Amino acid sequence: MSRILIVDDEESILKSLRRLLSLTPCMGGGKVYTLQIDTFSSPADALDKSRHTAYDLVLSDYRMPGMDGVQFLKAFREIQPDAARLILSGYADLNGLIGAINEAGISRFLSKPWNDYELVAAIGQALAVRELTLENQRLADQVRVTAGAMSAEELERKRLEAEEPGITKVLWGEDGSVLLDESLLDDPDAGRP
């Protein structure tokens, strides 16, 4: 099952995309992808979720209040660099397109209103390309471990971070304790009896 994240400030668009992608199979590279879909109308909320949940693909609107699609996907890329990134927009802006490619590393720029077939095919192709890229990276990392250029621990840390973003990062309290809940940084006495 592939997990995808959709971000658009219009709830009607989110509902329409969820309905389309839950009813229509996505195919790419001769494989049918079953999708688990999370939707957000706020880019900030989507970024919070992506810090703890791994996604295979993210589809973002280009024009949103507070943070445009390029800014969102650039921030998302820093958290999950291996996820496929697509932009869906009703505005054809050359500077925005260049920024999306250069800054956010998107693989496709899709237009609104979308053609259902083209959208589903683009998602299937992006998922297939992502799988192939990850398999190539995995094989290259195994060669690096064999050659001594990478330790087995680094390889395992990379695998864990891809499956559970943030799992290898440790938050330390002022007293040297390990914090499991980031909100304790704001009020260190909140978790004490």
Side-chain angles (χ1 to χ4, degrees):
M1 179 168 293
S2 298
R3 190 168 197 148
I4 70 169
L5 174 66
I6 303 174
V7 184
D8 196 306
D9 59 319
E10 296 180 50
E11 288 290 338
S12 61
I13 298 287
L14 293 175
K15 287 179 184 173
S16 180
L17 289 170
R18 179 184 286 276
R19 185 176 50 249
L20 170 67
L21 295 173
S22 63
L23 296 174
T24 310
C26 287
M27 296 180 62
K31 182 177 176 183
V32 177
Y33 294 93
T34 305
L35 304 179
Q36 181 174 351
I37 304 163
D38 291 336
T39 59
F40 287 90
S41 58
S42 162
D45 292 344
L47 284 176
D48 282 344
K49 178 74 172 177
S50 69
R51 287 186 179 91
H52 309 287
T53 304
Y55 289 99
D56 299 305
L57 181 142
V58 60
L59 174 66
S60 173
D61 186 14
Y62 176 66
R63 289 198 174 180
M64 297 182 285
M67 181 185 298
D68 69 27
V70 173
Q71 292 170 323
F72 166 71
L73 289 173
K74 188 176 173 184
F76 183 88
R77 183 183 189 185
E78 291 176 12
I79 299 167
Q80 297 189 37
D82 296 327
R85 293 171 295 279
L86 310 175
I87 281 188
L88 183 63
S89 178
Y91 302 96
D93 171 4
L94 182 59
N95 289 332
L97 178 59
I98 291 170
I101 293 169
N102 293 338
E103 296 174 32
I106 66 161
S107 57
R108 294 285 297 263
F109 195 101
L110 303 163
S111 64
K112 285 183 186 174
W114 63 85
N115 173 303
D116 289 352
Y117 173 76
E118 288 178 12
L119 178 69
V120 171
I123 289 173
Q125 289 169 354
L127 289 171
V129 168
R130 178 186 179 273
E131 273 189 7
L132 187 60
T133 302
L134 290 178
E135 179 63 14
N136 285 338
Q137 287 175 359
R138 187 187 65 76
L139 293 172
D141 286 344
Q142 284 182 340
V143 170
R144 287 184 192 101
V145 169
T146 303
M150 175 186 260
S151 69
E153 291 81 17
E154 288 175 276
L155 179 63
E156 183 62 13
R157 186 178 314 117
K158 188 175 179 180
R159 185 191 67 78
L160 287 170
E161 195 62 39
E163 288 181 8
E164 298 289 335
I167 195 169
T168 61
K169 295 175 180 64
V170 178
L171 294 173
W172 296 97
E174 289 180 12
D175 60 353
S177 61
V178 175
L179 298 177
L180 299 176
D181 184 354
E182 291 180 52
S183 66
L184 294 176
L185 290 172
D186 299 330
D187 183 10
D189 294 328
R192 295 187 180 171

